[in-house]
Amino acid sequence: MKNKKNRYILIPKDLQKNLIDFLDEVQLEAAKLNTTENMHIVNFCSYAIEELINGFDAKFRERKPPQKKSRDQFLDETFMDWNLPEMDDEEYEKFVNQVDGFLRAWEREYTKDKPNEPIQRKPYKPEVDDVMQYCSLDEIVDFLKDDPELTDEERFELYYDEREKRREKKSGMSYEKLLKKSGVLPPDKN
């Protein structure tokens, strides 16, 4: 990694204090014996204590929650993406107000009919099974290829399962037809 000098680890103040106390005790114990190894321990502890004391103070900034867009901001941004015909400001405001009024009325009606259900805030993404029954197998292949969340194995499994379901519908037989075709009598009801 480039520039390792500017990389830091933040520790809480109480951990800093506990580390300094611990290193101080190790340093005092090592100083009692006058050996070369113990002098290295004393020097290291002195260095580590100095680094802990002289280290940078840091504080996390509190993040402000993302500001929710006002209804007017949302409508303005939404309509800017549309290819609307040229209109002056007055016509545009009238158009936005009509759409806004429609959305407000729809929300009121929706909450009357379904008071406990929240209005959907994220785009609806249908389940694969919901869509597959209305598509041809070629369309299913395209649909599965375009889904970036699926692995190749998952794509194969979904396609294979759907193909087998359709094959059963085309060539499948009821229990009674299967017995009749094979010449076997149904078992006694006892």
Side-chain angles (χ1 to χ4, degrees):
M1 287 184 206
K2 293 186 203 175
N3 203 357
K4 286 190 174 186
K5 287 183 178 180
N6 293 333
R7 296 177 60 94
Y8 301 99
I9 296 175
L10 301 177
I11 60 171
K13 285 284 191 181
D14 59 337
L15 178 59
Q16 177 195 25
K17 181 186 178 306
N18 291 338
L19 284 171
I20 290 171
D21 291 344
F22 172 74
L23 290 169
D24 194 38
E25 287 178 28
V26 170
Q27 185 178 26
L28 289 174
E29 288 297 316
K32 289 179 182 176
L33 302 173
N34 198 6
T35 66
T36 306
E37 186 177 331
N38 285 352
M39 286 298 119
H40 290 301
I41 292 172
V42 169
N43 288 338
F44 172 76
C45 289
S46 295
Y47 167 77
I49 290 170
E50 184 180 338
E51 287 295 313
L52 285 168
I53 290 173
N54 295 330
F56 294 115
D57 285 339
K59 182 178 176 183
F60 289 108
R61 277 189 257 155
E62 292 192 24
R63 290 190 175 179
K64 296 177 185 174
Q67 189 176 14
K68 191 173 179 181
K69 293 180 182 177
S70 71
R71 189 176 200 91
D72 290 336
Q73 288 171 329
F74 175 75
L75 287 172
D76 284 344
E77 289 175 9
T78 303
F79 289 124
M80 290 300 178
D81 294 341
W82 293 7
N83 292 325
L84 297 174
E86 288 297 320
M87 55 179 88
D88 61 17
D89 289 343
E90 187 178 313
E91 290 174 324
Y92 179 76
E93 283 299 317
K94 184 178 176 183
F95 178 69
V96 170
N97 289 336
Q98 285 176 340
V99 171
D100 188 42
F102 169 78
L103 292 175
R104 288 179 196 271
W106 179 83
E107 285 178 356
R108 272 194 306 274
E109 290 300 315
Y110 184 87
T111 53
K112 278 184 197 173
D113 294 343
K114 300 169 186 164
N116 295 330
E117 291 184 33
I119 295 172
Q120 188 171 344
R121 295 291 179 206
K122 59 183 182 180
Y124 173 68
K125 184 176 181 184
E127 291 294 320
V128 173
D129 293 335
D130 295 343
V131 175
M132 284 188 177
Q133 62 187 354
Y134 301 108
C135 299
S136 69
L137 285 175
D138 291 335
E139 290 172 321
I140 291 172
V141 168
D142 293 339
F143 180 75
L144 293 173
K145 283 181 182 176
D146 291 341
D147 192 340
E149 295 176 3
L150 295 175
T151 64
D152 289 338
E153 290 82 18
E154 291 170 327
R155 287 184 183 99
F156 173 77
E157 288 294 322
L158 288 168
Y159 174 77
Y160 184 79
D161 290 344
E162 187 63 27
R163 191 189 78 180
E164 291 303 306
K165 283 183 205 172
R166 292 177 186 210
R167 183 177 287 166
E168 290 170 10
K169 287 179 184 177
K170 286 181 181 177
S171 64
M173 290 187 239
S174 68
Y175 179 68
E176 289 79 20
K177 283 183 182 178
L178 178 65
L179 290 177
K180 186 176 181 181
K181 186 175 181 181
S182 62
V184 177
L185 295 173
D188 290 338
K189 304 232 176 185
N190 295 341

